[in-house]
Amino acid sequence: MSENAVIVVVEDDPNIADLVELYLRRDGYRPYQASTGERALEVIAERRPTLIILDVGLAGDLDGLDICRAVRAESDVPIIFLTARDDEIDRVLGLELGADDYVTKPFSPRELVARVKAILRRTEGAAERGGHERPDPIELDLGIVVDPARREVTVADNAVALATREFDLLHYLARNRGLALSRRQLLDAVWGEGWVGDDRTVDVHVRQLRKKLGDGLVLETVWGVGYRLD
Ligand code: CA
């Protein structure tokens, strides 16, 4: 249940942290703050959050990316990054650890809460579906297999590590093979409707997929439209 979900808010600006906490509380969530990276690791270990909101730029030895790495070593808990500058967005998007979403400062707390809701809805949906049916693996050319039940991609039987969104994107493209899909369609399907990020999010993830899966992946750029997996 996303009601009463525990959310850890890692943010070193107390004004922003308090505002985010206020909005989360108002929607029935249970937020816990941490203002340094060191404290964040303690609070996350203690509270076992359902979702983490993570500022990239933190004062002290550990920044948001360090925290993400530490968390990802142990769990798939969704992470929404708070970013202040373009270069931070690039670092988050290039991160192979799987940021579930990011919000650029200054942001509207209402918008942030909407993102939280969307992500929790999606993770719950995935958990529920997992209990019922087991979707079949999809075989692409040259020995690439996408197995949604195990969330695993193999190339010639070797597992390839993909971030959460990279997997979701590949799976969606695989289910719609041969169709030219616009970046907006891909954003809606993979990141959720109402996600306000820009097109380059898709481009960055496509770049990662091409890099990780190599020449076997026939993922064409359709000029003026988006992408098509053949
Ligand atoms: Ca900061």
Side-chain angles (χ1 to χ4, degrees), residues 215-227:
D215 294 338
L217 186 75
V218 188
L219 180 50
E220 308 280 359
T221 303
V222 185
W223 296 108
V225 183
Y227 295 100

Side-chain angles (χ1 to χ4, degrees), residues 10-13 16 55-59 82 84 88 105:
V10 185
E11 168 60 68
D12 58 0
D13 180 330
I16 297 178
D55 185 27
V56 174
L58 294 170
L82 303 179
E88 286 185 356
K105 294 176 181 179

Side-chain angles (χ1 to χ4, degrees), residues 61-75:
D61 291 337
L62 298 173
D63 69 8
L65 301 184
D66 296 323
I67 304 303
C68 178
R69 255 174 231 119
V71 169
R72 276 288 171 267
E74 304 194 335
S75 94

Side-chain angles (χ1 to χ4, degrees), residues 75-91:
S75 94
D76 280 336
V77 58
I79 297 176
I80 301 179
F81 277 103
L82 303 179
T83 61
R85 301 183 310 268
D86 266 8
D87 62 307
E88 286 185 356
I89 297 173
D90 290 339
R91 288 174 68 203

